[in-house]
Amino acid sequence: MALQLSDYQDIIDDLGDTTKEVLEANWQEAARVFSPRGLDTYLRGAAGLKSLGRGTDLVESFLEAAPLVAREVGEQAVSELLSAAIQMFSKTSASVLVLLFSTAPTAAARMGELELFKGYLSLLNHLLAQAPRALRPMLEKLDVLLAHLTLGGLRRWAMWGISAYRNDFNGQAEYFGLQNDAAMNVLKKEQRGVLFVDVQRRLIMYLRALWGRDFFLRPTSGDFETREGYRPYIEASFIHLPDAFDDFTLPNGEKAKGMDVYRAAAAHTAAHIVYSRYYDDAQGLTPLQQAMVGVVEDARVETLAVKDFPGLLTLWKNLLPADSQDNSAASVLGRMARGLLDKDYRDSHPLVEAATSLFAQNAERLNDQTLALDIGLQLAEQAKALDFKYNPRQDQPTNPYRDDNRYLWQSPDDAENTVLLPGQTQQVRKYVSMMEMVMGLDVEYAGDDAQEIWVLETEFFHDDGTTLNEKEGKEPVASPVHYPEWDYQTQLERPNWVTVLEKRPKRGDHTVLEAAIEKHKPLVRRIKNLIESIQPQGLIRQRNQEDGDTLDLNAAIHAMVDIRRGIQPSPRINIRTHLQIRDLSVLLLVDLSESTNDQVRGAEEGVTVLDMAREATALLAEALVKIGDPFAIHGFDSNGRHDVEYYRFKDFDAPYNETVKGRLEAMKGKLSTRMGAALRHAGSLLSRRASQKKLILLLTDGEPADNDVRDPQYLRQDTKKAVEELARQGIQTFCLTLDPYADEYVSRIFGHKYYLILDQVSRLPEKLATLYIGMTK
């Protein structure tokens, strides 16, 4: 259950009037980003700071900064921030702690990840112990420093200043305040080429453009002592990239920009996620065998990616070494990687020649997951015969973009390394043999929410020759989709704020809905005739035209009569003939919130709002099928911003059959109504249609609301923004609401001409059809 501010009245009373106002102003943002446990920590942390007796500024700066920090790197970071402040309490003044809190959102945004933020707090604590007077000027310039430095760069810059001005307090103030030449020179020396936080969104869009799916990217920092840092790696479905890349010197002496290195690293690790899997049968391999298998697997996934996206070849091969004079293990492995990817590369080293020859001989096995293991083990045997020395700690790859391949060796079922995203549950995926599948499977037809999924790499055939997929296979539901949300208070969009999860609709008894349709057959026929009479299809003859295809004889006679009478005749004496086609696509979006389970006043016993909506939808669908207008039927509900459930009962190209009727019959009302996100998702689906006219008919019984939003204006304004965005895309939205009090908000959201308030729910089937006729004229 969500916590209310009134639940902590004792804490609020102790904070004082001014601090109470700050808390109330930030409570809405805090309630959005914190869990109930996080809110408890937030409030009790403020009470703890108040008890220190260092003034109200300290408490107020924490109340303002903590929600922003939690939004950037998670609510655990707030606990870490409080802990760091308590450690610093006895070593510095309250004004420095105020600076610590007020600059924490900037640090969290630039770090972008919890572990890096913890490293930043550790650096501040170390700096306070070594040079207490340096902390204030550094925090005052933190935005400038983090705009140019990584966490490792900031640490080395700070350590240089401590070492150079350990006993010179004025020098410390000038250095850490960026007021002397030494500070600027060291800053310039430690400045990296491209910072991850500056390009993260561009990389996400780049990968989405390539593979049409979302990848999760995180920064990692290991460049504390040197500028090299960690290599890219994949862990728990997250791609971890270094927090900065410098320009890279190519084999031909030219420079590759840091952004190109980021693209190469992101595309390579994403290719692993798309094409690779965990080698559960490769346990016990030696480091040399792992290195050889990894090089071949890197080449396999890159070759598959290049087949789909040829431009990646140039991006990758330019970053691979081509120096045939260096015979160190790192150089040979790098040249093997170059030879496997670049068919024009020639190298006389026996391992390079063997690798390229084996890879070429097995070109038809690129989709075989065991190819890298087979070739890699053969190469490892040849390397041993050649007395090839390999040390995994010293022989680091000479290319900057390839990952460390831990993705191949670490089991994805390791729960302690798995990070669950909002809306996800832990699920084990296990690759098994045919005998394990036959003898050990517990529930053959388990649902998508099963705790363990068994995967068989070959088809599973029944005795009649058909496969299990042919009999019971289902199309996978789409991946989570993230949409922005409009914050009317800041007049800014919150990027990727809402997650829409498409759920597979359940199927009910279609005969129940067919009985209702049969009862209203005359109404279906009348709807069809009305629509066709308003906008008929076929050959249309328009009379009284100045220009046309044929002469209108009656109009011509009247014109001659007028001439004889000395009256100015009408020039409209032609008939124009044209072929009229109804070119429109309609998406009927049904609100499936909990309130639709309420009974309809004045109707039969047990008839709910959802029953009337289902019946009206089915009747309109029957008429549209007979006319031939393309239409889709979707529904939605929500359980907070991380879980907007979206159901596609019928898509545009799908037939309206017993399956669809069964899905409509199984519709259930539950949860809340986050309308803006549902409209954006419906609009994205409708925008793919090539129709000239596109229309969303929204059927709802109340205003936008959700369990994690307490400001009633917030979701109203977001829905209004979503409607405006759809209108700019050429998609018209019309709302048919059953809320008798909708006058207060519906016109401001949808516009004066694009809504209808239905007082009598029992008239919904008739009104919905009339509305459709009016909107599609």
Side-chain angles (χ1 to χ4, degrees):
M1 187 177 70
L3 293 179
Q4 302 293 330
L5 190 55
S6 58
D7 297 339
Y8 292 87
Q9 194 61 47
D10 54 336
I11 293 178
I12 296 172
D13 293 340
D14 291 341
L15 291 178
D17 292 339
T18 306
T19 308
K20 178 183 176 182
E21 292 177 3
V22 174
L23 175 59
E24 290 174 346
N26 289 277
W27 179 254
Q28 185 175 337
E29 177 66 19
R32 289 191 190 119
V33 299
F34 285 117
S35 65
R37 183 176 179 181
L39 282 173
D40 185 78
T41 301
Y42 173 61
L43 291 170
R44 298 197 181 280
L49 292 172
K50 176 69 175 177
S51 66
L52 296 178
R54 290 291 189 96
T56 59
D57 283 350
L58 182 63
V59 184
E60 291 171 5
S61 63
F62 170 75
L63 290 173
E64 291 174 344
L68 303 178
V69 171
R71 186 177 64 188
E72 295 292 345
V73 290
E75 62 182 35
Q76 186 182 342
V78 175
S79 300
E80 298 290 340
L81 181 62
L82 274 171
S83 177
I86 296 300
Q87 291 179 18
M88 297 178 184
F89 167 69
S90 60
K91 304 175 187 176
T92 189
S93 65
S95 60
V96 173
L97 294 180
V98 169
L99 269 176
L100 168 70
F101 288 136
S102 60
T103 57
T106 300
R110 299 302 294 180
M111 295 297 110
E113 204 266 336
L114 176 61
E115 291 302 318
L116 299 187
F117 186 71
K118 290 164 65 175
Y120 162 76
L121 295 176
S122 177
L123 170 61
L124 295 186
N125 202 24
H126 178 74
L127 181 63
L128 186 61
Q130 296 293 322
R133 301 192 182 190
L135 189 57
R136 182 196 299 271
M138 192 185 86
L139 289 176
E140 290 174 347
K141 296 294 183 179
L142 190 67
D143 54 341
V144 177
L145 291 169
L146 291 182
H148 298 90
L149 300 177
T150 64
L151 175 59
L154 179 65
R155 182 179 183 275
R156 290 191 299 276
W157 179 85
M159 292 302 101
W160 195 97
I162 292 174
S163 176
Y165 301 100
R166 187 175 299 276
N167 299 316
D168 183 356
F169 298 146
N170 292 330
Q172 283 184 15
E174 291 179 355
Y175 179 88
F176 287 93
L178 297 178
Q179 295 175 356
N180 65 18
D181 293 339
M184 301 308 297
N185 290 336
V186 178
L187 176 65
K188 186 175 181 180
K189 177 184 174 183
E190 295 297 339
Q191 184 174 346
R192 302 292 300 270
V194 178
L195 302 187
F196 176 84
V197 292
D198 294 329
V199 299
Q200 181 179 11
R201 293 189 65 185
R202 290 162 62 186
L203 292 174
I204 291 173
M205 295 301 296
Y206 176 66
L207 296 181
R208 186 183 299 169
L210 288 176
W211 278 284
R213 55 176 285 188
D214 285 325
F215 295 87
F216 300 98
L217 308 184
R218 278 184 171 178
T220 181
S221 180
D223 60 340
F224 289 142
E225 303 302 333
T226 69
R227 290 169 60 90
E228 299 304 319
Y230 291 136
R231 292 168 61 189
Y233 64 92
I234 305 168
E235 195 170 71
S237 299
F238 281 84
I239 294 174
H240 295 256
L241 299 177
D243 54 2
F245 267 129
D246 293 321
D247 292 349
F248 181 74
T249 304
L250 300 176
N252 59 9
E254 296 181 1
K255 291 278 189 178
K257 294 182 178 179
M259 187 62 201
D260 290 334
V261 182
Y262 262 124
R263 288 196 185 98
H268 176 80
T269 48
H272 270 306
I273 292 177
V274 173
Y275 302 115
S276 292
R277 70 164 176 82
Y278 162 62
Y279 280 96
D280 55 352
D281 52 352
Q283 299 305 309
L285 295 183
T286 66
L288 175 60
Q289 290 173 329
Q290 286 190 354
M292 293 298 179
V293 173
V295 168
V296 179
E297 179 64 12
D298 286 340
R300 188 184 74 86
V301 300
E302 287 188 354
T303 303
L304 289 172
V306 167
K307 281 189 173 183
D308 293 332
F309 314 107
L312 290 176
L313 177 60
T314 304
L315 178 67
W316 281 330
K317 76 176 185 180
N318 286 343
L319 296 172
L320 292 171
D323 181 13
S324 59
Q325 304 302 317
D326 183 2
N327 285 325
S328 65
S331 175
V332 172
L333 289 174
R335 285 148 52 195
M336 286 172 61
R338 178 66 179 260
L340 292 173
L341 184 64
D342 185 0
K343 306 307 178 189
D344 298 327
Y345 177 71
R346 297 291 179 268
D347 197 299
S348 59
H349 195 283
L351 280 180
V352 179
E353 290 181 339
T356 54
S357 175
L358 287 171
F359 195 72
Q361 293 171 19
N362 292 273
E364 71 283 352
R365 292 180 56 197
L366 283 176
N367 291 310
D368 184 355
Q369 297 275 2
T370 63
L371 173 65
L373 190 62
D374 295 342
I375 297 179
L377 294 180
Q378 294 182 53
L379 292 174
E381 289 299 320
Q382 294 187 36
K384 287 175 63 178
L386 294 170
D387 197 25
F388 183 78
K389 303 297 183 183
Y390 174 71
N391 186 328
R393 294 184 178 275
Q394 296 178 358
D395 298 322
Q396 295 297 318
T398 52
N399 67 81
Y401 75 90
R402 286 193 172 178
D403 64 305
D404 61 6
N405 282 333
R406 71 178 67 177
Y407 182 71
L408 305 178
W409 320 119
Q410 289 186 354
S411 171
D413 302 334
D414 189 357
E416 73 177 15
N417 286 331
T418 300
V419 180
L420 296 180
L421 299 175
Q424 285 186 323
T425 56
Q426 176 65 34
Q427 187 180 79
V428 176
R429 184 169 292 265
K430 184 178 179 182
Y431 293 86
V432 298
S433 66
M434 174 65 75
M435 290 306 297
E436 287 177 304
M437 181 71 79
V438 173
M439 303 300 294
L441 191 61
D442 291 331
V443 184
E444 189 173 352
Y445 302 108
D448 298 327
D449 56 349
Q451 292 180 349
E452 185 170 295
I453 301 294
W454 283 16
V455 179
L456 184 65
E457 290 190 341
T458 59
E459 290 278 20
F460 189 99
F461 285 90
H462 288 284
D463 294 337
D464 59 1
T466 59
T467 66
L468 182 63
N469 276 341
E470 289 173 346
K471 283 191 171 184
E472 299 293 335
K474 298 179 291 186
E475 287 293 325
V477 175
S479 300
V481 184
H482 306 285
Y483 290 100
E485 199 164 73
W486 179 254
D487 187 340
Y488 76 99
Q489 291 184 329
T490 62
Q491 292 294 296
L492 293 172
E493 275 191 343
R494 297 176 177 272
N496 296 330
W497 189 250
V498 187
T499 303
V500 175
L501 303 170
E502 287 197 6
K503 300 293 183 72
R504 185 177 290 109
K506 296 180 179 179
R507 187 171 174 180
D509 184 4
H510 64 88
T511 58
V512 178
L513 195 59
E514 287 178 344
I517 295 171
E518 186 67 27
K519 184 176 69 174
H520 293 91
K521 223 171 188 179
L523 179 58
V524 173
R525 199 160 41 245
R526 185 158 65 89
I527 294 171
K528 172 183 176 292
N529 294 335
L530 278 172
I531 295 174
E532 287 187 331
S533 64
I534 294 296
Q535 191 176 33
Q537 292 196 90
L539 202 62
I540 306 299
R541 302 178 69 192
Q542 292 179 304
R543 297 181 180 274
N544 296 325
Q545 303 295 313
E546 290 190 8
D547 297 312
D549 307 308
T550 59
L551 186 68
D552 186 345
L553 190 58
N554 290 333
I557 292 173
H558 284 300
M560 288 303 297
V561 170
D562 289 341
I563 291 173
R564 293 286 181 91
R565 295 171 58 195
I567 301 174
Q568 178 69 34
S570 171
R572 300 178 178 276
I573 60 172
N574 293 297
I575 298 176
R576 182 181 300 158
T577 306
H578 70 277
L579 183 64
Q580 179 163 301
I581 300 174
R582 292 172 56 82
D583 186 17
L584 77 159
S585 294
V586 180
L587 193 152
L588 182 58
L589 186 60
V590 184
D591 173 9
L592 301 177
S593 59
E594 178 66 33
S595 56
T596 58
N597 294 321
D598 296 343
Q599 291 197 3
V600 177
R601 289 174 294 180
E604 298 178 11
E605 182 72 23
V607 177
T608 66
V609 173
L610 184 59
D611 292 331
M612 298 302 300
R614 180 187 297 112
E615 188 174 297
T617 301
L619 295 179
L620 180 60
E622 288 287 331
L624 295 181
V625 167
K626 290 178 169 56
I627 296 167
D629 285 354
F631 69 100
I633 304 173
H634 297 173
F636 74 97
D637 57 56
S638 64
N639 185 24
R641 69 182 180 93
H642 295 302
D643 186 14
V644 179
E645 298 181 341
Y646 195 91
Y647 299 90
R648 294 160 73 162
F649 303 106
K650 179 195 175 300
D651 282 323
F652 289 102
D653 298 325
Y656 182 69
N657 53 19
E658 294 178 354
T659 300
V660 176
K661 294 174 185 175
R663 292 171 180 169
L664 292 177
E665 183 59 37
M667 285 195 309
K668 300 294 182 184
K670 57 180 182 176
L671 305 175
S672 302
T673 317
R674 207 173 195 105
M675 202 174 287
L679 284 173
R680 288 185 179 93
H681 193 62
S684 71
L685 299 174
L686 187 54
S687 63
R688 302 171 191 171
R689 302 288 299 174
S691 303
Q692 204 170 38
K693 192 170 186 178
K694 300 168 187 176
L695 172 65
I696 295 177
L697 286 179
L698 175 63
L699 179 57
T700 181
D701 70 329
E703 65 176 318
D706 211 342
N707 54 25
D708 60 350
V709 177
R710 293 171 179 80
D711 180 0
Q713 288 297 325
Y714 178 80
L715 288 181
R716 291 180 186 178
Q717 295 291 335
D718 174 62
T719 304
K720 180 177 184 292
K721 190 73 173 178
V723 171
E724 293 171 352
E725 292 169 1
L726 293 176
R728 286 195 292 271
Q729 299 173 32
I731 300 174
Q732 186 60 59
T733 307
F734 195 99
C735 177
L736 179 58
T737 178
L738 311 178
D739 182 5
Y741 306 104
D743 290 306
E744 301 175 3
Y745 60 86
V746 69
S747 63
R748 290 195 295 272
I749 294 176
F750 295 96
H752 295 291
K753 299 180 180 178
Y754 299 104
Y755 74 93
L756 178 64
I757 301 174
L758 190 60
D759 296 325
Q760 298 181 14
V761 182
S762 57
R763 297 183 60 196
L764 177 58
E766 176 188 347
K767 284 292 185 181
L768 184 59
T770 306
L771 169 61
Y772 178 83
I773 293 168
M775 292 299 299
T776 58
K777 282 184 179 180

